[in-house]
Amino acid sequence: MANKIPRVPVREQDPTRRATNFEEVCYGYNADEAALEASRCLNCRVARCVAKCPVNVNIPGFIHAVAEGDLATAAAIIAADSTLPSVCGRVCPQESQCEGNCVLGIKGEPVAIGKLERYVGDWAIEHADETPVEVPERNGKRVAVVGSGPAGLACASDLAKAGYEVKIFEALHEVGGVLVYGIPEFRLPKERIVAREVEALKRLGVEIETDVVIGRTLTIDDLLDREGYDAVFIGSGAGLPRFMGIEGENLNGVFSANEFLTRANLMHAYDESYDTPIYAGRKVVVVGGGNVAMDAVRTAKRLGAESVIVYRRSEAELPARVEEVHHAKQEGIEFRMLTNPVRVLGDERGWVRGVECVEMELGEPDESGRRSPVVKEGSNFEIDCDVVIMALGTSPNPLIKHTTKGLDTTRRGCIVADENGVTSRPGVFAGGDAVTGAATVILAMGAGRKAAAAIDTYLNKKDDATNV
Amino acid sequence: MFEIVSKRTLAPRVVEMKVKAPRVAESARPGQFVIVRTDPKGERIPLTICDYDADEGTVTIVTQEVGYSSGKINSLETDDCFADFAGPLGCPSDLLELTPEQLKAKKILFVAGGVGTAPVYPQVKWLKEQGVEADVIIGAKTKDMFTYVDEMKRVGRVHLCTDDGSEGYHGMVTGLMEKLINEDGRQFDHCVIIGPMIMMKFAALTTKKYNIPTVVSLNALMVDGTGMCGACRVTVDGETRFTCVEGPEFDGHKVDFDEAMRRQNMYRDNKKTHPETQNCKCNG
């Protein structure tokens, strides 16, 4: 009668308190809670959850091990398919992936797969020192990985385990890519989780060099020719922030979500002991409805500003994780749906004083299948604010495209790669947001792993060819 | 960690440092910049590359102390290290795309204001190596504030001016530009202006009057410097451009300087008041 147990609630930091600090919102399960929640899993013969997982983690398998209290086995089962469970457990959109397809969810509440994954991932991190690391014998071949985000970390990990000498080149001063500059501390702790994942990679023998901007400091060709790498994986991430192209967007007080979050997360601007400034003003309007918009608006709230989300579709279409929207509302974020800015208003000093918006209504479905928003004529109104943050996604960074001959890119500037990360340049592989445009951590991680397998195949073939 | 191999004071509060950064030195080209961080709690500060030596593996930067973080940079001593020194960033100068013949046919004028002189130097030096001697106007408030004059004299034809008349032409760079063109009958068909935003604005207005194609190097606010944050956006010819990946050099006749100056002051009143974030490149 396992399915009669209600979903075990997860302990969280009190909303009024957490809206003033940057500590993690969710405390996660303890051992008893995890075991109880795990016991709810029906262990379906045809596991619908697995089918919806972008990397097809053996979900019933690891959950069964949690129920048995065998966390080492649970960790090993996840590790067969996923490199970053403590991260994915926290940031995956479970409601549209595994949990969204859980049988229990049809009549009641799905198994808390994400929370259980996080529990196992955190356990593995805490017990990393107890399990001896097997550094495989080196096969004499070297692979360069560009970018230390989820795609690069996953690719490097698999290659190191397969015996390759791997070096990651990171443009910024911290390792982790979007995990450190993008996702806030209150959703993904940097020291406790991200840094530990990176440590694990270093124990596998992966080298990491920061402050190297590929496309500037070194080119892809430099890596292959001058630095002597046998193959390169590009996991350079998304890139240039998009703006709306409306009047007033360059006023003082208009920021991209990337800038606002990079100041807060990478540069620790919210911490008085760090030098980088951040400006959240008195009232912040964040434009957009994705996870980045939620991260920005909740960061602004924590910096003391009254914070509002403005989104042109309705709540049902919000692309953000349901949990983030729920948390944001608990923290007192105002949501203004079916609203779109048409102009940012400035004062005589050139600073933001408000944003002029129009009301929208949902019309016919567009190519994405979502009903497209249509302007209600004459519905213009103003929202008074002193900061506007644009969270509208990104376009690919041009640095590698412009400096790598023979590397095909799409019209939008994304690197062209097949499902295994194979690009138009022999020996050059790519995956993650650099290929797909802004997507999720788990998709990037999956792409990094597929590319690692493809690199292994490619280099073995190359070996065979030279040995003939 | 990136070691400071030498340090010297060029003028009051203006310091030149040679930093061991072999990868940057190997790839650096005139017109590009670096992002430095003094320590793990420091800001990422963009500074124009003033010289580089691939054999030595060093890159030279010049920093004017105008606030907290630039003061922190200038307080480092020889043998100290920068926590981070990333680059070269931005696009190299457009002049590098021209053939030696095209370059020799050009009459190029550089206009340098304040510590903008140091970032002009690698361009003039590079031209000299191509067999082209350019004219260089160097302006300063007073003669004690001149930097890189001797170095510049070795590679270009230098014309000095001071606001107070203590050395060279008495007046601003715009006055000296007018003098060279009108009184001395000099003709120029390309101008590169690097210095404080206000000086670049007026110098570009002057060259516009004489229809001289003009390039300016913008010292916008930046966080990552690699195209991620958009803090450095400027309006050029009515379009938003990112200084860090599309610049730092833009058509001086098309830059919206008033907006650029306003945006530079964005963090002036912030509680972490670090005025150098408004003038964060050494040409500020």
Side-chain angles (χ1 to χ4, degrees):
Chain A
M1 286 293 117
N3 54 359
K4 288 286 164 65
I5 304 166
R7 177 164 160 139
V8 178
V10 70
R11 286 165 294 110
E12 290 171 349
Q13 205 192 143
D14 174 68
T16 36
R17 191 158 62 91
R18 75 179 187 236
T20 62
N21 68 45
F22 281 82
E23 287 152 37
E24 195 175 15
V25 168
C26 177
Y27 293 131
Y29 285 148
N30 61 28
D32 291 342
E33 289 162 341
L36 182 61
E37 180 62 22
S39 75
R40 294 179 66 227
C41 177
L42 301 178
N43 209 350
C44 304
R45 198 170 46 82
V46 180
R48 292 156 46 105
C49 51
V50 177
K52 272 284 205 174
C53 172
V55 298
N56 308 116
V57 168
N58 176 0
I59 293 166
F62 96 76
I63 291 183
H64 183 70
V66 174
E68 304 268 291
D70 184 358
L71 292 170
T73 300
I77 291 171
I78 297 177
D81 298 295
S82 171
T83 318
L84 302 166
S86 56
V87 175
C88 292
R90 284 172 168 84
V91 304
C92 261
Q94 287 92 4
E95 71 273 7
S96 57
Q97 298 179 359
C98 54
E99 292 183 27
N101 224 26
C102 173
V103 170
L104 289 187
I106 297 170
K107 284 188 178 165
E109 290 233 69
V111 173
I113 301 168
K115 296 289 177 283
L116 290 171
E117 184 190 21
R118 164 195 164 133
Y119 176 70
V120 174
D122 288 7
W123 180 91
I125 284 176
E126 278 154 33
H127 294 78
D129 299 341
E130 297 161 24
T131 28
V133 187
E134 286 176 42
V135 180
E137 203 176 312
R138 292 272 171 255
N139 62 19
K141 277 172 277 187
R142 302 167 71 229
V143 182
V145 171
V146 179
S148 66
L153 293 175
C155 184
S157 170
D158 279 11
L159 287 169
K161 286 174 191 160
Y164 290 90
E165 184 187 325
V166 184
K167 185 159 182 179
I168 299 179
F169 294 94
E170 167 56 48
L172 296 173
H173 57 264
E174 291 280 351
V175 181
V178 71
L179 308 178
V180 295
Y181 75 75
I183 303 174
E185 178 75 18
F186 57 80
R187 231 160 42 90
L188 180 63
K190 309 300 164 218
E191 285 300 313
R192 192 157 54 82
I193 304 298
V194 183
R196 301 285 291 273
E197 295 284 9
V198 173
E199 279 311 309
L201 205 57
K202 287 184 181 163
R203 278 198 299 271
L204 284 170
V206 173
E207 259 192 273
I208 304 176
E209 186 173 341
T210 53
D211 294 334
V212 181
V213 185
I214 301 299
R216 290 281 190 238
T217 315
L218 295 169
T219 61
I220 298 292
D221 288 282
D222 287 339
L223 292 173
L224 292 166
D225 304 338
R226 209 164 77 192
E227 306 268 324
Y229 288 96
D230 299 292
V232 176
F233 173 75
I234 305 170
S236 52
L240 281 73
R242 286 210 197 107
F243 289 89
M244 295 184 78
I246 58 174
E247 187 188 327
E249 256 180 328
N250 287 351
L251 287 166
N252 287 12
V254 182
F255 307 106
S256 73
N258 262 8
E259 176 184 353
F260 193 72
L261 290 171
T262 301
R263 285 181 183 275
N265 302 335
L266 177 72
M267 305 310 295
H268 303 264
Y270 61 83
D271 181 337
E272 275 305 301
S273 71
Y274 284 75
D275 298 344
T276 301
I278 192 165
Y279 181 73
R282 174 182 48 79
K283 183 168 173 181
V284 174
V285 166
V286 176
V287 184
N291 287 319
V292 174
M294 297 306 140
D295 288 344
V297 81
R298 294 169 72 196
T299 297
K301 178 82 185 176
R302 282 160 171 75
L303 291 168
E306 191 186 332
S307 305
V308 184
I309 283 274
V310 162
Y311 179 56
R312 63 195 181 121
R313 301 178 198 249
S314 73
E315 187 165 340
E317 285 84 19
L318 279 172
R321 296 176 79 225
V322 167
E323 190 179 16
E324 307 313 327
V325 176
H326 170 69
H327 282 158
K329 285 184 174 172
Q330 282 184 327
E331 289 162 14
I333 306 296
E334 186 189 340
F335 280 71
R336 300 190 77 147
M337 300 294 99
L338 291 166
T339 302
N340 205 29
V342 290
R343 189 156 66 111
V344 184
L345 306 164
D347 65 16
E348 66 288 347
R349 294 161 47 245
W351 280 80
V352 172
R353 67 167 176 83
V355 56
E356 182 182 327
C357 299
V358 284
E359 290 176 26
M360 311 291 280
E361 53 196 354
L362 292 180
E364 295 300 312
D366 62 13
E367 64 272 21
S368 73
R370 294 184 300 179
R371 293 176 66 191
S372 55
V374 184
V375 175
K376 272 196 210 171
E377 288 306 327
S379 63
N380 299 47
F381 67 101
E382 289 180 15
I383 302 175
D384 158 68
C385 65
D386 47 11
V387 168
V388 175
I389 296 172
M390 296 294 180
L392 307 161
T394 54
S395 355
N397 191 303
L399 292 186
I400 289 177
K401 182 181 91 171
H402 285 166
T403 55
T404 314
K405 282 207 184 81
L407 184 69
D408 289 351
T409 51
T410 64
R411 199 166 42 83
R412 287 190 45 232
C414 296
I415 297 170
V416 176
D418 72 7
E419 56 176 24
N420 294 314
V422 177
T423 71
S424 57
R425 274 283 301 267
V428 178
F429 298 75
D433 286 3
V435 170
T436 58
T440 59
V441 168
I442 193 155
L443 283 171
M445 183 202 70
R449 301 201 68 195
K450 279 184 184 159
I455 289 169
D456 187 40
T457 309
Y458 165 80
L459 290 178
N460 284 331
K461 260 197 202 144
K462 205 172 150 189
D463 253 11
D464 292 347
T466 43
N467 289 342
V468 171
Chain B
M1 299 294 266
F2 300 84
E3 192 193 334
I4 297 162
V5 295
S6 67
K7 173 185 178 179
R8 62 182 178 130
T9 300
L10 302 179
R13 303 168 95 79
V14 180
V15 167
E16 177 200 71
M17 287 172 177
K18 209 181 249 195
V19 181
K20 192 94 182 161
R23 286 200 195 279
V24 184
E26 177 88 11
S27 304
R29 294 292 174 269
Q32 293 186 296
F33 64 95
V34 290
I35 292 241
V36 308
R37 217 166 58 114
T38 50
D39 64 288
K41 292 197 168 180
E43 281 188 86
R44 293 173 66 90
I45 301 288
L47 295 166
T48 310
I49 293 169
C50 301
D51 204 357
Y52 49 89
D53 185 329
D55 298 332
E56 245 182 34
T58 57
V59 175
T60 305
I61 52 170
V62 171
T63 315
Q64 179 172 34
E65 184 187 336
V66 287
Y68 182 76
S69 290
S70 53
K72 227 169 160 179
I73 291 172
N74 283 0
S75 70
L76 296 177
E77 299 296 340
T78 304
D79 299 335
D80 285 347
C81 288
F82 282 96
D84 300 281
F85 197 91
L89 299 166
C91 300
S93 161
D94 286 342
L95 292 171
L96 272 74
E97 287 168 22
L98 301 180
T99 63
E101 290 69 38
Q102 286 173 315
L103 284 172
K104 281 187 186 125
K106 277 206 173 299
K107 293 187 264 309
I108 306 171
L109 173 67
F110 286 86
V111 181
V115 278
T117 317
V120 159
Y121 174 69
Q123 300 203 26
V124 181
K125 180 182 165 191
W126 181 84
L127 283 171
K128 176 83 172 178
E129 287 161 7
Q130 314 303 311
V132 178
E133 193 168 23
D135 285 88
V136 185
I137 291 178
I138 305 178
K141 280 201 176 74
T142 178
K143 71 175 182 41
D144 294 343
M145 293 303 292
F146 275 127
T147 57
Y148 265 63
V149 172
D150 292 339
E151 289 85 346
M152 201 73 84
K153 281 181 175 165
R154 285 196 284 271
V155 293
R157 276 188 297 269
V158 172
H159 313 269
L160 300 176
C161 66
T162 47
D163 294 0
D164 65 359
S166 54
E167 192 169 346
Y169 173 86
H170 186 169
M172 311 255 201
V173 291
T174 44
L176 184 50
M177 290 162 78
E178 300 261 11
K179 179 183 173 290
L180 287 182
I181 296 166
N182 292 331
E183 294 175 27
D184 304 352
R186 299 294 309 278
Q187 286 185 328
F188 300 104
D189 53 19
H190 187 88
C191 183
V192 178
I193 308 168
I194 307 183
M197 207 70 100
I198 187 82
M199 168 272 195
M200 290 195 283
K201 174 183 170 175
F202 285 101
L205 283 173
T206 305
T207 59
K208 192 165 186 181
K209 209 162 72 179
Y210 297 100
N211 283 319
I212 305 169
T214 295
V215 165
V216 295
S217 175
L218 297 183
N219 44 335
L221 289 181
M222 287 181 196
V223 185
D224 63 290
T226 64
M228 223 172 65
C229 80
C232 65
R233 60 194 194 276
V234 290
T235 302
V236 182
D237 205 14
E239 277 186 46
T240 294
R241 309 283 294 273
F242 287 6
T243 305
C244 69
V245 288
E246 300 176 88
E249 296 192 346
F250 291 106
D251 183 336
H253 296 155
K254 293 183 176 163
V255 169
D256 182 342
F257 281 106
D258 293 336
E259 178 190 277
M261 281 187 269
R262 165 168 57 68
R263 289 185 57 80
Q264 267 193 328
N265 290 332
M266 190 114 61
Y267 291 92
R268 177 167 279 173
D269 300 327
N270 198 278
K271 56 184 170 179
K272 291 179 185 173
T273 300
H274 303 149
E276 74 285 355
T277 52
Q278 302 129 34
N279 288 308
C280 48
K281 286 209 288 177
C282 58
N283 48 13

